[in-house]
Amino acid sequence: MPGLAGRVDRERVAVAGHSWGARTASTLAGARVGDGESLIGTRVAAAVLLRLPGSGGDDLSPLAAQHFPFMNPDFSELKTPSLVVAGDRDQSPLTVRGPDWFADGYRLGPGATDLLTLFGAEHGLGGTQGAFDTRTTDESPERVALVQEATLAYLRTALGLDDDAWPAVRRALAAAGEPLGRIDTK
């Protein structure tokens, strides 16, 4: 690509996405949708999956089962190091389960090593899709700042740029008097 020659480190490619974008990003990290094949052999070295839609089957609402029958992911091949970010108040019309549905990729994906659960966060995780976006129902500049800081730190550590960036965020969040969220690690 013009302008990128010599500037791209092909060993440190990351992918990130929010909601349906997270579903797409997860396929590049190895998850499969339906009968599709795993793309684990790609150059993706790390992933950030914000609000990754969860399992299909009985977990889907009637609306989702009728209109999105392809929503049947297989996270067993999601082996790329990944951070899953979810909100504890994210009530999706696509599932009958509730907010924990968005943590399925973490629970079921062997490479999804960390889960950041944001307290009080809904679909927009506090407004991550942009300032003044009218779709944000849970506006919180503090949550947005945490998502920004945490995802960058995760990627810096996962890509071998700063071994202490992610552990430092984990320590700071655990030590916070009134934390904005919780990080689980497996």
Side-chain angles (χ1 to χ4, degrees), residues 3-46:
L4 294 179
R7 297 176 62 193
V8 175
D9 183 343
R10 294 178 190 271
E11 302 301 314
R12 290 186 172 140
V13 174
V15 64
H18 176 270
S19 194
W20 287 114
R23 174 58 54 89
T24 301
S26 75
T27 63
L28 295 173
R32 289 182 289 169
V33 178
D35 293 333
E37 66 182 65
S38 172
L39 298 177
I40 194 66
T42 65
R43 295 183 185 140
V44 174

Side-chain angles (χ1 to χ4, degrees), residues 72-122:
N72 238 346
D74 176 359
F75 297 114
S76 66
E77 293 296 315
L78 196 159
K79 295 179 181 174
T80 300
S82 302
L83 168 64
V84 175
V85 181
D88 72 350
R89 292 202 181 146
D90 192 353
Q91 297 292 340
S92 174
L94 300 178
T95 184
V96 296
R97 284 195 16 222
D100 74 311
W101 185 62
F102 293 99
D104 283 355
Y106 169 72
R107 284 192 291 275
L108 302 171
T113 56
D114 295 88
L115 170 67
L116 169 58
T117 303
L118 298 169
F119 302 148
E122 297 174 7

